[in-house]
Amino acid sequence: MPTPTAPPEPFIHAVAGLRAVAPRPEIKLEEVGAPQRLAPYAFALSATVLRDGDEVASGRLILLHDPAGHEAWQGTLRLVTYVTADLEVDLAADPLLPTVGWTWLTDALDAHGAAYRALGGTVTQTLSTRFGDLAGPPAAGDVELRASWTPVSPDFTAHLLAWCALLGSTAGLPPPGVTALPERRPAGAA
């Protein structure tokens, strides 16, 4: 779709709201190229979540705007996300993980007052075991959440804060302001 030269005000306002957020220090945001064929206007952010200097989760948030609207979107603006995180094998094998993963998203949206409609998506859990020439590290697991929703309120800052909360939950970060206690070693352990 060819993009007209001047973006419409709703899109400009939404992008400004997404750019206005300074996430918690463990989450690094970066503006990246957005897909150009999904809507006349698009904006995208990429996120990396670090814990103790290691990347533990990543994601992408894409804002789409079609002034003509879409029936499936139930509006003219749409947010699309992809979030993935490495998990311990026992967590990745938990049959409740998809339900819990989905509530990370809905709870984050609700907690930040990021009103929405037409929410849909998937949560995928994966376990991998390496063999042959790829043998090496023990079994690994991950979770992947893909979702999209139509923002109802014009407060896109709330939607980005909710997305950052989703990233934090997926990465296993403690809530902001809470410090994780160090693991205790049994007496006599080196």
Side-chain angles (χ1 to χ4, degrees):
M1 290 181 203
T3 302
T5 53
E9 185 59 36
F11 180 74
I12 293 170
H13 177 77
V15 169
L18 294 176
R19 286 179 171 155
V21 173
R24 59 192 290 178
E26 302 94 338
I27 300 174
K28 307 297 180 202
L29 296 180
E30 177 183 1
E31 290 184 26
V32 294
Q36 299 300 309
R37 296 184 180 184
L38 300 176
Y41 303 93
F43 173 80
L45 291 170
S46 176
T48 302
V49 183
L50 302 172
R51 187 173 55 224
D52 300 325
D54 294 325
E55 182 178 327
V56 292
S58 62
R60 187 169 286 221
L61 182 69
I62 302 166
L63 168 67
L64 302 174
H65 177 57
D66 187 340
H70 277 275
E71 187 176 329
W73 293 4
Q74 298 177 25
T76 61
L77 293 160
R78 188 81 173 161
L79 287 169
V80 179
T81 189
Y82 166 80
V83 174
T84 185
D86 296 331
L87 295 176
E88 294 177 14
V89 173
D90 57 333
L91 291 174
D94 189 327
L96 296 177
L97 178 62
T99 302
V100 170
W102 191 252
T103 61
W104 291 334
L105 172 61
T106 58
D107 287 354
L109 290 167
D110 294 343
H112 288 87
Y116 60 89
R117 66 175 157 250
L119 174 66
T122 62
V123 177
T124 305
Q125 62 194 105
T126 306
L127 291 173
S128 300
T129 304
R130 298 170 184 252
F131 296 97
D133 289 345
L134 294 177
D142 64 26
V143 63
E144 174 184 290
L145 186 142
R146 295 177 184 263
S148 63
W149 64 94
T150 299
V152 173
S153 74
D155 183 4
F156 278 79
T157 300
H159 287 275
L160 188 63
L161 288 170
W163 185 62
C164 288
L166 167 65
L167 286 162
S169 294
T170 305
L173 298 180
V178 174
T179 303
L181 296 174
E183 290 185 33
R184 285 184 51 186
R185 293 184 178 176

